[in-house]
C-alpha cells in the first residue's frame, strides 16, 4: 500500500492484521520515516516493549493527541534530526563551553 510508504500529514488510520507483536513492530518500522507512531493496548508490559521497539521520535500509547509544548517534538530517520519545543528544543541553539581554572589562590 503506497500510503504506508509515505509521510502523510493529515488524519489517517491504517489497520493491519498481524499475528505477533514482533511482526507488527517490524511492519511499523519498515519505513524511511519516523516522526510519530501510535498504538492501543491494555497491557502495560506490552506498552513499554512496543514503545521502546518502535523507531519513531514520538510514540502515543492509547492517545491520538501526543503533542504538547512541554514535550520534545521531532522525528528520526528521514523525519528530522533534533527536537523542537520543551527544554530540548533549545539544545540546537546552544553552544556549551567547559572552563577549568586552577592555580588560583588568595593574594596577600
Amino acid at each position: 500500500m503506497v500510503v504506508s510508504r509515505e509521510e502523510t500529514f493529515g488524519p489517517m488510520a491504517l489497520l493491519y492484521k498481524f499475528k505477533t507483536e514482533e511482526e507488527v513492530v517490524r511492519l511499523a518500522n519498515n519505513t524511511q520515516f519516523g516522526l510519530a507512531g501510535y498504538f492501543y493496548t491494555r497491557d502495560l508490559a506490552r506498552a513499554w516493549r512496543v514503545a521502546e521497539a518502535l523507531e519513531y521520535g514520538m510514540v502515543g500509547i492509547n492517545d491520538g493527541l501526543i503533542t504538547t509544548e512541554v514535550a520534545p517534538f521531532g522525528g528520526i530517520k528521514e523525519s528530522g534530526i533534533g527536537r523542537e519545543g520543551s527544554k530540548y528544543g533549545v539544545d540546537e541553539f546552544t553552544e556549551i563551553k567547559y572552563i577549568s581554572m586552577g592555580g588560583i589562590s588568595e593574594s596577600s
Side-chain angles (χ1 to χ4, degrees):
M1 215 183 308
V2 173
V3 72
S4 62
R5 294 187 310 271
E6 296 179 335
E7 189 167 42
T8 304
F9 292 95
M12 181 172 300
L14 299 176
L15 302 175
Y16 290 96
K17 282 185 169 185
F18 62 93
K19 293 187 181 194
T20 66
E21 188 177 297
E22 294 78 17
E23 177 189 10
V24 76
V25 167
R26 183 181 48 76
L27 288 168
N29 289 338
N30 187 22
T31 178
Q32 62 201 39
F33 303 108
L35 182 57
Y38 307 82
F39 68 97
Y40 289 82
T41 183
R42 291 185 180 133
D43 183 333
L44 188 57
R46 173 176 282 166
W48 281 109
R49 278 193 314 272
V50 173
E52 289 180 345
L54 288 174
E55 297 170 356
Y56 291 86
M58 302 178 295
V59 176
I61 305 168
N62 301 336
D63 187 6
L65 184 60
I66 61 174
T67 57
T68 173
E69 73 280 357
V70 296
F73 180 94
I76 60 173
K77 302 181 187 179
E78 290 190 26
S79 294
I81 298 172
R83 297 291 177 263
E84 299 173 8
S86 80
K87 67 179 187 173
Y88 302 102
V90 176
D91 289 346
E92 298 297 316
F93 304 98
T94 304
E95 294 291 332
I96 296 175
K97 180 185 287 188
Y98 170 76
I99 299 173
S100 176
M101 190 177 301
I104 298 177
S105 61
E106 196 174 311
S107 56
S108 32

